[in-house]
Amino acid sequence: MGWAEMEYKKINKIGTDVEGYLSVIESMKDIPFEVKRFYYIYGVPKMRKRGFHAHKKLEQYLFAINGKIRIYLDDGNVKESVLLSKPNEGVFIHKGVWREMEFVEKNSILCVLASHHYEEDDYIRDYDQFLDMVCQGYWKE
Ligand code: TYD
């Protein structure tokens, strides 16, 4: 997997008048999977991080509906970070990518669209195990 696939993508923003905006995300159109789950993370103290895991098969789309959240991504070869700072910006995260989410501002809210239902068995929570799986070609086609 190349870095380019860890794509930072703008969500559509419809309407630019004084009465506000409407952003929309459609499965298989704006994101390359059918959404099976939606969850959101909030109330995280400023500058604290969550995440620290990768997924075996789960794909996700992250966006900050409020505030600013920095997303650190690591595919075992390339590390990159993306600042989500507007409600119409999001990042698609492939399976097999280690992620950490830093809540840069108080009251930031992270929304997540996910390709599968919750399965604890899909998580890799040990970084060395993640690197071993990358080396063994676990996510290679
Ligand atoms: P986790 O995904 O580890 O959160 P983060 O990566 O933001 O630190 O989830 C935290 C806890 O919540 C963990 O015990 C599993 C549980 N959880 C569910 O029960 N269902 C879900 O859909 C999610 C995402 C988490």
Side-chain angles (χ1 to χ4, degrees):
M1 183 183 64
W3 175 255
E5 291 169 75
M6 292 183 207
E7 196 181 334
Y8 169 77
K9 195 168 172 183
K10 274 212 153 178
I11 301 165
N12 303 325
K13 185 152 108 177
I14 300 171
T16 53
D17 59 22
V18 289
E19 284 150 5
Y21 304 100
L22 188 156
S23 289
V24 60
I25 305 164
E26 292 191 44
S27 291
M28 305 307 294
K29 200 169 153 195
D30 302 303
I31 51 171
F33 58 84
E34 293 285 356
V35 176
K36 284 213 180 129
R37 180 163 51 116
F38 169 69
Y39 62 91
Y40 44 101
I41 300 172
Y42 53 96
V44 179
K46 194 175 149 117
M47 297 314 287
R48 290 286 287 278
K49 275 188 181 176
R50 294 183 57 115
F52 306 99
H53 66 258
H55 284 280
K56 292 176 190 162
K57 66 170 189 239
L58 190 74
E59 305 205 307
Q60 292 169 301
Y61 191 74
L62 276 57
F63 53 102
I65 207 83
N66 192 56
K68 288 186 173 53
I69 301 169
R70 183 166 290 281
I71 312 295
Y72 295 86
L73 299 170
D74 175 358
D75 70 359
N77 294 298
V78 181
K79 292 183 186 182
E80 187 94 349
S81 79
V82 168
L83 182 68
L84 299 178
S85 61
K86 295 186 187 133
N88 68 325
E89 295 171 342
V91 65
F92 170 64
I93 307 185
H94 273 267
K95 58 190 168 184
V97 174
W98 188 266
R99 86 287 311 275
E100 298 173 12
M101 301 89 77
E102 183 177 55
F103 284 63
V104 175
E105 278 184 2
K106 195 179 171 214
N107 296 327
S108 295
I109 303 173
L110 181 66
C111 296
V112 183
L113 301 174
S115 63
H116 292 80
H117 293 140
Y118 173 72
E119 281 173 55
E120 183 57 36
D121 190 49
D122 192 64
Y123 282 73
I124 302 139
R125 295 190 183 273
D126 182 278
Y127 187 68
D128 290 336
Q129 186 194 348
F130 165 68
L131 290 182
D132 282 348
M133 290 171 77
V134 171
C135 287
Q136 286 160 18
Y138 186 89
W139 290 283
K140 286 246 161 68
E141 297 302 307

